Amino acid sequence: MNRLADRAVSLPRSEIRVLFDRAAARADTIRLEVGEPSFPTPAHIVAGAYEAARAGHTGYGPNGGLIELRELLSEKVEKVDGFVAHPERIVVTPGGMNALYSTYFALLNPGDEVLLPTPGFPNMDGMVGLLGGNPVFYHLEAAEGYLPDPERLERLVTGRTRILFLNTPSNPTGAVFPASLMRDLVEFCNRHNLWLLSDEVYDELVLDESKAHIAAGIYDEEDRVITVYSFSKVYAMTGWRVGYAVAPPAVADLLRKLQEPQVSCPSTISQKAAVAALRGPREPIRAMLDTYRRRRSAAIRTATSAGLEVVAPAGTLYMLVAVRTRGRSMFRFALDLLDSQGVSVAPGSVFGPGGEGYVRISLAAPEGQITEGLGRLAEACRQEELVHT
């Protein structure tokens, strides 16, 4: 067999995807491992895509996205996220993942270091490694609300550090950064001449009504912040694959250029669906958010009454639950839970070393499945104590 690329072969497969495939083979599984909204894409969005296809909008589009969509996104960013983003600074991509990958591609040289949170979004260290960069983890502590500590970040900066990656509202912790912290993190990057890559795809999914999403772009006075957003979770459009980056002009130009050899352009039909999402009624979007907030309350209530230790999320669609694996790997625990209880969860180990001792459950599932799944998880933990005492 001809030789395969070492960096591709060495990339581990996502443990969440392994569980995803195994859970899909069982019709009765309670699926709490991925953030797949239980809602269909709202009807007005589907209708917008259908009408666009009927009108012949089925060809190639610009590398960086349709101007119609970018103008609407400019309005959205200013209204929702609180900072000015000219359409030329906006690059539409096939999902937020492509925006993140292209940004790393644009900014990293081999050997450059990226500061990544743990627990944190699991695909980041894989992306950085594929592009020849070196992930450097900064730990987030439950006792500190899983918020980054700028003083600890200072000790991690070297001459090779190029990017600080942030995620708020955070997957998997649910943390929502306050304004003072976001301002301090932007100033930290200014001091050390770092790029700040801010993943804010859950910007409109703040579940704790006492909190508010604060965008890094609000404090960017030196053109060093790149922000990534997505339609996937807010609009229940995971399969449509529409994301976008807001970047300084030179970076945005480079991202558009990188689209050509990677994907040519984002799907025209999906972009027309995104246009319909932005122009259409807000009631379905607010209804989904209200439902997620009720699910969060039910999940916290069910877990705590069952004796489980949880980290109450302020935002996103996820909640961390503490477990004891008694010497097994987190992945093995999740597989055993699936086999014995018919519940699929994400093992904390996929979120880096800071995720050890936790599993992540998704609040995207229907409330009845969430509460039943937590009950079965609690039962598995009780059995674990009985077996191993």
Side-chain angles (χ1 to χ4, degrees):
M1 182 178 178
N2 287 339
R3 184 177 177 180
L4 303 174
D6 292 340
R7 62 182 178 180
V9 172
S10 63
L11 180 71
R13 185 164 184 239
S14 166
E15 291 179 352
I16 295 177
R17 280 290 172 176
V18 173
L19 283 155
F20 181 97
D21 292 344
R22 189 153 169 173
R26 296 179 46 155
D28 59 344
T29 300
I30 294 177
R31 306 290 299 275
L32 303 180
E33 82 279 10
V34 294
E36 180 65 66
S38 59
F39 306 101
T41 302
H44 69 276
I45 300 175
V46 176
Y50 175 75
E51 291 162 7
R54 295 265 298 183
H57 296 288
T58 54
Y60 289 123
N63 292 133
L66 301 174
I67 183 61
E68 175 187 27
L69 176 56
R70 289 188 287 117
E71 288 175 344
L72 288 169
L73 289 172
S74 177
E75 296 173 8
K76 175 267 175 184
V77 169
E78 185 168 0
K79 179 180 179 180
V80 174
D81 302 295
F83 65 100
V84 175
H86 188 275
E88 288 306 307
R89 289 177 172 249
I90 297 173
V91 181
V92 183
T93 59
M97 292 294 295
N98 179 256
L100 290 164
Y101 185 84
S102 288
T103 300
Y104 283 127
F105 201 124
L107 303 182
L108 286 179
N109 286 314
D112 286 347
E113 296 174 352
V114 181
L115 301 179
L116 298 174
T118 181
F121 187 38
N123 290 324
M124 290 303 92
D125 54 323
M127 287 185 184
V128 171
L130 275 176
L131 293 167
N134 294 323
V136 176
F137 288 112
Y138 60 92
H139 283 256
L140 306 175
E141 304 295 337
E144 300 170 357
Y146 285 117
L147 299 175
D149 183 337
E151 290 187 10
R152 287 202 292 269
L153 285 171
E154 292 280 355
R155 297 193 286 269
L156 298 176
V157 176
T158 73
R160 300 295 300 181
T161 309
R162 293 293 177 266
I163 303 171
L164 169 64
F165 174 79
L166 304 177
N167 178 208
T168 179
S170 172
N171 172 14
T173 68
V176 175
F177 296 4
S180 59
L181 174 61
M182 190 60 89
R183 183 183 60 248
D184 289 347
L185 292 169
V186 173
E187 291 176 354
F188 166 84
C189 290
N190 291 342
R191 266 196 320 277
H192 293 286
N193 194 29
L194 305 179
W195 293 104
L196 194 160
L197 177 53
S198 188
D199 178 343
E200 300 176 15
V201 300
Y202 294 95
D203 60 340
E204 297 186 72
L205 286 173
V206 176
L207 307 183
D208 182 341
E209 295 183 71
S210 70
K211 307 285 186 181
H213 169 64
I214 305 297
I218 293 173
Y219 304 103
D220 184 25
E221 298 179 354
E222 297 190 10
D223 266 354
R224 64 176 69 253
V225 173
I226 300 98
T227 313
V228 171
Y229 298 102
S230 172
F231 283 79
S232 289
K233 306 300 170 59
V234 173
Y235 293 93
M237 292 178 65
T238 54
W240 297 83
R241 310 310 303 135
V242 186
Y244 55 104
V246 181
V251 178
D253 287 343
L254 192 50
L255 293 178
R256 280 187 282 271
K257 184 173 76 171
L258 289 171
Q259 290 285 80
E260 181 62 32
Q262 290 187 79
V263 296
S264 179
C265 61
S267 162
T268 301
I269 292 300
S270 292
Q271 289 183 81
K272 288 292 186 178
V275 167
L278 293 170
R279 285 184 172 158
R282 297 297 300 175
E283 286 79 5
I285 313 308
R286 283 194 290 266
M288 287 190 285
L289 175 59
D290 289 343
T291 300
Y292 291 136
R293 286 173 170 168
R294 288 194 295 271
R295 291 175 182 176
R296 170 187 181 269
S297 297
I300 295 170
R301 184 172 58 252
T302 300
T304 53
S305 65
L308 294 171
E309 178 186 342
V310 302
V311 179
T316 75
L317 303 179
Y318 309 105
M319 184 173 77
L320 291 177
V321 182
V323 298
R324 296 182 183 179
T325 62
R326 298 292 186 177
R328 285 173 295 171
S329 69
M330 299 298 299
F331 181 51
R332 185 71 256 171
F333 175 87
L335 288 174
D336 290 346
L337 180 70
L338 175 58
D339 291 340
S340 66
Q341 298 289 340
V343 179
S344 184
V345 298
S349 53
V350 305
F351 307 111
E356 289 292 335
Y358 292 91
V359 296
R360 187 197 72 181
I361 68 146
S362 171
L363 305 178
E367 183 176 322
Q369 293 185 23
I370 294 170
T371 55
E372 176 65 22
L374 284 168
R376 296 185 190 183
L377 173 60
E379 177 59 28
C381 290
R382 283 192 291 270
Q383 292 178 3
E384 191 78 12
E385 292 293 328
L386 290 172
V387 168
H388 293 279
T389 53

